[in-house]
Amino acid sequence: VNRMLRIGVSANASFATNDYFDTYFSIDADGSAASGLAQSDAGGGARDVGLEIYSILSFSKRWGVFSRLSYNRLLGDAENSPIVQDAGSADQFFVGTGLFFRF
């Protein structure tokens, strides 16, 4: 918008390996027994797509605040994992704000 206020929009997509999906979305027999969730073996590939809106407001050359609002949608094996289906949501939201100082 100007030197003091910046506003942006971005889109993203992320992909992950089989090891990542095994760690975060697969459930082995022991995990199933402990959690009550069904066993699953998630494979790698597309993890999510998303959209983000952010703003940066500078008060001076060194100080400012930032904010971020984002939405991601899990896809494929991530979305279909019992961890997401039974205990979570494929819709992922994030809202954040902070103060910054530039060196």
Side-chain angles (χ1 to χ4, degrees):
V1 175
N2 61 39
R3 290 168 126 181
M4 293 182 62
L5 177 62
R6 289 181 276 168
I7 298 173
V9 177
S10 65
N12 63 68
S14 65
F15 302 84
T17 65
N18 285 339
D19 288 341
Y20 177 91
F21 271 81
D22 277 343
T23 300
Y24 294 101
F25 297 105
S26 293
I27 303 172
D28 62 15
D30 292 337
S32 177
S35 67
L37 298 172
Q39 288 185 4
S40 69
D41 184 22
R47 189 186 75 140
D48 62 19
V49 294
L51 182 65
E52 172 183 76
I53 299 170
Y54 63 90
S55 66
I56 301 170
L57 177 61
S58 298
F59 302 126
S60 68
K61 289 183 178 183
R62 296 190 180 260
W63 289 97
V65 295
F66 64 91
S67 61
R68 176 181 166 204
L69 170 64
S70 67
Y71 167 76
N72 284 349
R73 175 71 186 196
L74 295 174
L75 303 172
D77 283 355
E79 177 182 13
N80 296 326
S81 169
I83 296 168
V84 174
Q85 291 290 313
D86 299 338
S89 172
D91 298 308
Q92 305 288 302
F93 294 93
F94 176 85
V95 177
T97 190
L99 177 68
F100 68 84
F101 177 79
R102 291 184 183 117
F103 294 95

